[in-house]
Amino acid sequence: GNRQGARIRLAAAIDAKHIERELAARFEIRDVVAWDEEKSMLAARRQRSLGAIVLDENAFAIDDAHANITWLQLLRERGLDWLQWPDAVSQWLQRVKWLQSRITDLPDFSTQALLDELEQWLEPYLSRVRKLSELRALDFGAMLRARLTYTQQQQLERETPTHFTLPSGTRQPIEYRSDAAPKLAARMTEFYGLDVHPTLGGEPMLLELLSPARQPLQLTGDLPGFWRSAYADVRKEMKGRYPKHFWPEQPWSAPATATTKKHMKSLP
């Protein structure tokens, strides 16, 4: 019936020796590997139980087989973000995904594909890893690069450069996005002298033109068009706010600079 609020009103004690003698054939010994949230590590217990009743348990050293199964299960439950891999790995993945959207013979680097294939790219590196700090210290970049052939790695380096050299001489990092054009953000004054819009793979990059204080001024996929249209209004505002900086009337033919007029070698 309804067990809510039930109480035991009559019971008889039974000692452990009696249980050992009468029910020994029903004892089970099992190894339990679980995640210890407080210690951020795997913990293992060897339990002797009678049904759901744990009679005794002791800690034991976890072997790789048990540990690996638990790590992969935890990652599929918590997601790859739990690994907290370095920004360099995230940026590398974005480059691969961008190239993958244009070249179909590359391996699938989507989050779901990586979770589905943990046994192939991650598990071989999990030997003796028991703590979360040890897991996060693994070289994920090397693991992921190993999924590409040498030819594919060369193609990635050739077709998805990490930086773009601006007319000012500054090497600016390119932000790759798998579902949009790569983005290049830099101070507007560093684009002076550029009258051809930068492209990657024949596609125009999205340029984010910044003020001298690195505040966004304009997003454009057509730099020559911007120079000859909206730039005039931006120039008026910038000359008032940043009078020490160079704001030429014809930026497409002016010298690029990352500094103020005072520090420029020459002005037209």
Side-chain angles (χ1 to χ4, degrees):
N2 184 3
R3 298 184 179 184
Q4 185 174 358
R7 296 181 180 179
I8 297 174
R9 298 186 180 279
L10 184 64
I14 183 171
D15 61 36
K17 291 182 180 180
H18 186 79
I19 295 175
E20 293 272 3
R21 184 175 65 251
E22 299 296 330
L23 302 175
R26 295 172 58 185
F27 288 176
E28 293 181 321
I29 296 178
R30 58 175 178 261
D31 294 338
V32 177
V33 179
W35 175 248
D36 188 323
E37 196 73 53
E38 183 177 346
K39 295 182 179 179
S40 293
M41 63 183 294
L42 300 180
R45 295 280 179 179
R46 181 158 289 148
Q47 296 179 340
R48 192 169 62 125
S49 60
L50 176 63
I53 302 172
V54 177
L55 302 173
D56 54 62
E57 62 178 7
N58 297 285
F60 76 98
I62 313 171
D63 58 38
D64 281 340
H66 283 90
N68 292 359
I69 290 172
T70 307
W71 280 130
L72 300 189
Q73 181 181 347
L74 282 166
L75 278 168
R76 285 175 172 138
E77 291 173 356
R78 302 191 176 203
L80 293 178
D81 289 343
W82 193 49
L83 294 174
Q84 296 183 357
W85 46 36
D87 289 342
V89 175
S90 299
Q91 292 164 14
W92 186 89
L93 273 174
Q94 288 301 102
R95 290 168 60 206
V96 174
K97 290 176 182 178
W98 181 82
L99 188 61
Q100 182 186 20
S101 66
R102 288 148 181 81
I103 300 175
T104 57
D105 63 348
L106 290 178
D108 188 352
F109 280 87
S110 66
T111 299
Q112 189 57 55
L114 291 176
L115 286 172
D116 290 343
E117 299 172 14
L118 288 172
E119 286 81 1
Q120 285 73 51
W121 67 269
L122 177 61
E123 187 172 6
Y125 299 90
L126 292 178
S127 177
R128 296 186 296 278
V129 175
R130 303 294 182 264
K131 298 179 180 179
L132 181 58
S133 59
E134 295 170 343
L135 178 66
R136 289 175 174 172
L138 294 176
D139 190 347
F140 297 109
M143 296 180 204
L144 296 172
R145 286 193 297 272
R147 301 184 78 228
L148 298 177
T149 65
Y150 177 77
T151 299
Q152 290 170 336
Q153 290 184 39
Q154 293 297 106
Q155 184 179 28
L156 178 68
E157 294 305 310
R158 184 175 61 254
E159 300 188 25
T160 63
T162 59
H163 291 73
F164 179 85
T165 302
L166 296 163
S168 64
T170 303
R171 291 184 73 248
Q172 197 70 15
I174 300 171
E175 178 187 345
Y176 285 87
R177 302 170 297 169
S178 56
D179 57 349
K183 181 180 175 183
L184 178 64
R187 285 168 290 200
M188 182 184 295
T189 58
E190 299 196 62
F191 287 95
Y192 293 166
L194 191 61
D195 202 22
V196 176
H197 194 91
T199 62
L200 272 179
E203 300 178 20
M205 287 194 284
L206 178 65
L207 304 185
E208 184 174 31
L209 309 180
L210 308 176
S211 72
R214 306 194 73 84
Q215 296 301 310
L217 294 176
Q218 182 76 23
L219 284 172
T220 182
D222 179 13
L223 184 61
F226 167 73
W227 287 149
R228 292 165 175 81
S229 57
Y231 170 76
D233 291 332
V234 175
R235 177 176 179 265
K236 291 177 183 178
E237 181 183 353
M238 290 297 99
K239 285 187 70 175
R241 292 175 59 186
Y242 303 99
K244 295 181 180 181
H245 289 76
F246 180 43
W247 305 106
E249 292 184 2
Q250 297 181 344
W252 58 87
S253 60
T257 177
T259 184
T260 61
K261 289 185 289 186
K262 180 180 177 181
H263 295 92
M264 293 179 68
K265 293 182 179 180
S266 63
L267 287 175

